[in-house]
Amino acid sequence: MISRPCSEGLFAEAQKIIPGGVDSPVRAFGSVGGTPVFIDRGNGSRIWDADGNEYIDYVLSWGPLLLGHAHPRVVAAIQEAAAQGTSFGAPTASETELAGLIQDAYPSMELLRFVNSGTEATMSAIRVARGFTGRNLIIKFEGCYHGHADGLLVKAGSGGATLGIPDSAGVPEDYARNTITLPYNDAEATKNFFKKEGKNIAGVIIEPVGGNMGLVPPVEGFIELLARETKNVGALLIFDEVMTGFRVARGGAQSIFGVRPDLTTLGKVIGGGMPVGAYGGQREIMEMVAPLGPVYQAGTLSGNPLAMAAGVETLRLIQEQGLPEALEERSRQLDEGMSEAARAANVSLWSVRRGSMFCSFFQDGPVRNFEDAKRSDTKKYAKFFHAMLDRGVLVAPSQFEVGFLSSSHTGADIEMTVRAAREAFSAL
Ligand SMILES: *Cc1c(COP(=O)(O)O)cnc(C)c1O
């Protein structure tokens, strides 16, 4: 392992004042071991750490940077906005402009509102679903991450449709009880639960392509089943496209499956690297939100002008460059290169790819849900992660996170990455 004295020093300092030295747990390298790399700056597909080492970056701030780091037009848009004032707590034209650009790609979002993170978006969408239906139960799927709001930090008890138990200390069981967790891609469990509790269900929230247990696409017919079942009982279907939005396709997973969710949540890409989330959907449902309706939701910095400017410029560039669809060739090149390198080294790898997202499970597959994903060899993944890092390639510091491509990643970047992977696999 290459030593990184500056990162080590900065991490030691950070740990004295910030819990675990990080502001989000996965950054601490807990599941791969070692000291987190402190980043100094980024440009395009590259980042540089505090020790001056250069890396090809496939984390991309966990998804937002579809254009890569510090795109000159996005930076200029932020600078221009900042010079005019950083926040007003009053409406600005840029909010309507960004909303229009989003709606152009997500026509199901007839009305939409901006918040400051994906967590806020999903939390608010759930509140709207409960307010609209007058019901309490929310169904989520095991292995799907919807941010860290209390009611969504819940996984399954044993046997599928048991009552929710909290995933985190500090979440009251009384509260978690209203979140039911079912196995991803399990049509039987879903149908059974709807049969039993249908009239009590406010909504179903799902990552329509799972991206927080590694990459797990829905099986044929599963999304359609959810659309049917929710409609039958008057519950709302919520697509959490915080990660998949503008990533698996410009119009998100809903454009791929041709299913129109009642509510959609977005984040990550739409903020161009600034803190933004959005939720929206059918007009009649979104009219529940204050000041039009009784569901309260607010934010001092919501629709922040810097964030809106970054989002607007990002979505314009996405339109101009035909993203993320234009990344298909690079994505395929990376996928095939990695798979070939693994085969050559006799390493079991189950590779999955959707749009500009990819994932390599260290196992034979198939991976259809969280249980399957957990069969991966995480120790091997940790070794692979460090072998790649030492060769100048940053992949996610966990087996259960996906990799992201940007429009800045060149064919040469991919070749370098595959070369590094070949060495890393044979070192396993
Ligand atoms: C990242 C993510 C969130 C949470 O977004 P934050 O901005 O981190 O709060 C919610 N849902 C999904 C699917 C995500 O990938």
Side-chain angles (χ1 to χ4, degrees), residues 117-119 145-147 207 212 240 242-243 268:
S117 66
T119 294
Y145 178 67
H146 303 294
E207 290 182 69
N212 283 288
D240 180 357
V242 170
M243 183 185 287
K268 298 196 168 119

Side-chain angles (χ1 to χ4, degrees), residues 122 125-126 138-141 144 146 152 203-207 236-240 265:
T122 56
I126 297 279
I138 294 290
I139 294 181
K140 77 175 280 291
F141 294 93
C144 283
H146 303 294
L152 291 167
V204 174
I205 186 166
I206 186 167
E207 290 182 69
L236 301 190
L237 179 59
I238 307 167
F239 276 8
D240 180 357
T265 57

Side-chain angles (χ1 to χ4, degrees), residues 3 8 10 32 43 70 87 145 147 157 167 227 321 331 362 371 374 392 406 408:
S3 87
E8 272 157 35
L10 289 168
V32 291
N43 192 287
S87 183
Y145 178 67
D167 232 6
Q321 299 181 11
S331 175
F362 279 69
E371 280 303 304
K374 282 193 285 199
S406 81
S408 302

